[in-house]
């Protein structure tokens, strides 16, 4: 039962962040952000590469000072993933990182001072084809909006965003994306829904300050999942108090679950019960750890017994159905061979890797024939 995603995405203007298209008919991109000291070039470069290896399309780097801006320039030379510079208040930092090769400026036009300074940044971005991200956050709303609404609300977030949009519109600058983040799921979802109908630019999704790995993953999945099901969202970041690599993994898992993008293995695994004929949880933990390097999209079913095992296995590229005395392996939905309990994970890993390699080669051949 291989259903296509029924999601109809909101039509949006497309911008380019480096060589990554955002909006329009481009795939929803996955982002993360470094948490190293930007002035520690080696540490930041190392983390960016790990984030990229995990599957990030775009990486954001905080640039709070001119010293950090110079470090950003060195970082830019050592990585090839598109970089967004996160900048607040000081327009000179934005001008400097533009010269040093930034791919996108995360900067709210309204908080960098006088009109002359705003114009300087916008003109620089236009001249160098650098898009801007307007980033509104419930925790840092303008004081007058706090007074007007009494507390952060979806309407307050949207009004703040539209203020910044109006500034860019006044300079006839349209290559921007917008986020309206809140740590409250309902507030964020409603703000994005309101904003989606009022601008044509792409939307960057996120539940800000979502929490630790487990709670933050759940909160982000609920909020972003609701928006993605509505067709809203062109790029996303899962904000976790955890290793940024985990943000990327969760982002990809979310998109895979909604059939919006495919990368690596989609595991179908039972929660296990007393019917299991092998240790399902241990097997899954080992497989997920061992097979993180596989990027070829494929489905792998790991089911502990014969109740649901054959049915799930028949729908997967590789399926394992627990049995006594031996477990049955399915390949492309057909029974293929039996595996004993001894060295089960080793043998299953080998079969999965062989299948992934075969699928990758078939895809290459298809592309070659089409070209």
């Amino acid at each position: 039962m291989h259903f296509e995603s029924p999601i109809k995405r909101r039509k949006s203007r497309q911008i380019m962040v480096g060589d990554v298209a955002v909006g329009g008919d481009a795939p929803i991109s996955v982002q993360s952000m470094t948490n190293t000291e930007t002035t520690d070039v080696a540490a930041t470069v190392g983390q960016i590469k790990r984030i990229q290896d995990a599957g990030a399309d775009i990486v954001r780097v905080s640039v709070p000072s001119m010293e950090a801006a110079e470090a950003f320039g060195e970082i830019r030379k050592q990585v090839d993933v598109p970089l967004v510079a996160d900048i607040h208040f000081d327009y000179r930092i934005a001008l400097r990182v533009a010269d040093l090769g930034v791919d996108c400026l995360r900067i709210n036009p309204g908080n960098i001072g006088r009109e002359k300074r705003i114009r300087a940044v916008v003109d620089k971005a236009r001249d160098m084809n650098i898009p801007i991200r307007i980033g509104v956050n419930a925790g840092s709303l303008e004081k007058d909006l706090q007074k007007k609404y009494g507390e952060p609300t979806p309407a307050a977030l949207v009004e703040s965003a539209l203020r910044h949009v109006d500034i860019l519109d006044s300079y006839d600058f349209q290559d921007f994306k917008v986020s309206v983040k809140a740590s409250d799921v309902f507030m964020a979802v409603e703000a994005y829904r309101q904003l989606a109908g009022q601008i044509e630019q792409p939307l960057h999704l996120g539940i800000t300050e979502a929490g630790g790995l487990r709670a933050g993953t759940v909160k982000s999945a609920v909020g972003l999942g609701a928006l993605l099901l509505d067709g809203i969202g062109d790029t996303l970041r899962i904000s976790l108090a955890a290793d940024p690599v985990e943000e990327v993994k969760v982002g990809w898992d979310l998109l895979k679950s909604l059939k919006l993008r495919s990368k690596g293995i989609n595991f179908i695994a039972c929660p296990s019960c007393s019917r299991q004929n092998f240790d399902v949880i241990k097997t899954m933990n080992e497989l997920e750890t061992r097979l993180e390097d596989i990027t070829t999209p494929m489905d792998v079913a790991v089911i502990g017994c014969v109740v649901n095992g054959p049915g799930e296995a028949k729908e997967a590229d590789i399926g394992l159905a627990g049995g006594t005395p031996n477990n049955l392996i399915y390949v492309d939905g057909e029974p293929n061979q039996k595996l004993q309990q001894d060295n089960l994970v080793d043998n299953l890993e080998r079969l999965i890797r062989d299948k992934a390699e075969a699928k990758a080669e078939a895809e290459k051949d298809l592309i070659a024939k089409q070209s």
Side-chain angles (χ1 to χ4, degrees), residues 253-267:
D253 286 342
L254 180 57
L255 295 179
K256 286 193 291 185
S257 70
L258 296 175
K259 299 184 184 296
L260 289 168
R261 285 188 77 178
S262 296
K263 172 184 170 292
I265 299 174
N266 175 42
F267 281 106

Side-chain angles (χ1 to χ4, degrees), residues 88 106 108 111 135-143 146 152 157 160:
H88 295 275
R106 192 282 194 193
N108 289 346
N111 73 11
V136 174
N137 192 302
S140 55
L141 282 171
E142 296 91 325
K143 290 182 178 179
Q146 294 179 36
L157 291 173
S160 177

Side-chain angles (χ1 to χ4, degrees), residues 96-360:
R96 182 57 180 152
V97 295
D99 287 332
L100 293 172
V102 75
D103 297 293
C104 180
L105 294 168
R106 192 282 194 193
I107 186 166
N108 289 346
N111 73 11
I112 56 174
R114 297 188 295 273
E115 189 270 346
K116 182 177 180 181
R117 295 175 178 179
I118 299 171
R119 177 180 289 276
V121 173
V122 174
D123 286 346
K124 188 78 165 183
R126 180 186 293 107
D127 292 345
M128 302 189 73
N129 295 315
I130 300 170
I132 289 172
R133 172 158 83 89
I134 295 171
V136 174
N137 192 302
S140 55
L141 282 171
E142 296 91 325
K143 290 182 178 179
D144 67 308
L145 291 179
Q146 294 179 36
K147 183 177 181 179
K148 176 181 178 179
Y149 290 94
E151 61 182 5
T153 67
L157 291 173
V158 172
E159 183 171 340
S160 177
L162 292 177
R163 282 184 179 180
H164 299 295
V165 169
D166 287 343
I167 292 172
L168 294 184
D169 281 345
S170 71
Y171 295 115
D172 194 26
F173 187 91
Q174 300 301 320
D175 288 341
F176 61 88
K177 53 183 176 174
V178 185
S179 65
V180 279
K181 296 183 180 182
S183 60
D184 180 89
V185 169
F186 296 103
M187 188 188 306
V189 169
E190 180 58 26
Y192 277 110
R193 285 174 174 164
Q194 289 183 20
L195 185 63
Q198 298 188 54
I199 64 173
E200 66 172 1
Q201 278 73 19
L203 296 177
H204 170 91
L205 301 187
I207 303 297
T208 193
E209 298 144 1
L213 179 56
R214 186 183 67 185
T217 293
V218 173
K219 188 184 290 186
S220 296
V222 171
L224 272 59
L227 291 167
L228 292 169
L229 284 167
D230 285 346
I232 295 171
D234 302 284
T235 182
L236 62 84
R237 185 225 173 161
I238 308 295
S239 297
L240 302 175
D243 187 330
V245 167
E246 298 299 330
E247 298 184 348
V248 180
K249 293 178 182 178
V250 173
W252 269 104
D253 286 342
L254 180 57
L255 295 179
K256 286 193 291 185
S257 70
L258 296 175
K259 299 184 184 296
L260 289 168
R261 285 188 77 178
S262 296
K263 172 184 170 292
I265 299 174
N266 175 42
F267 281 106
I268 300 99
C270 68
S272 78
C273 69
S274 61
R275 291 194 307 265
Q276 67 180 1
N277 290 288
F278 61 89
D279 190 332
V280 175
I281 295 174
K282 180 181 179 182
T283 299
M284 276 302 306
N285 287 338
E286 290 194 38
L287 288 175
E288 284 187 325
T289 299
R290 294 188 189 191
L291 299 172
E292 281 188 342
D293 61 300
I294 291 180
T295 58
T296 304
M298 60 186 295
D299 293 330
V300 174
V302 180
I303 310 297
C305 74
V306 296
V307 175
N308 295 323
E312 293 288 0
K314 287 178 181 178
E315 301 297 331
D317 295 289
I318 296 286
L320 169 64
T324 303
N326 296 315
N327 306 294
L328 183 58
I329 291 290
Y330 289 75
V331 177
D332 293 328
E334 297 294 331
N336 179 270
Q337 59 182 281
K338 293 183 177 181
L339 292 182
Q340 297 179 344
Q341 306 294 357
D342 294 341
N343 301 317
L344 177 62
V345 175
D346 291 339
N347 290 323
L348 189 54
E349 179 187 3
R350 173 180 52 80
L351 290 169
I352 294 170
R353 289 191 179 279
D354 288 345
K355 182 61 178 176
E357 184 177 347
K359 288 195 71 172

Side-chain angles (χ1 to χ4, degrees), residues 5 12 29 44 46 53 56 59 117 165 244 279 285 305 311:
S5 175
S12 63
S29 53
T44 304
D53 288 344
V59 179
R117 295 175 178 179
V165 169
D279 190 332
N285 287 338
C305 74

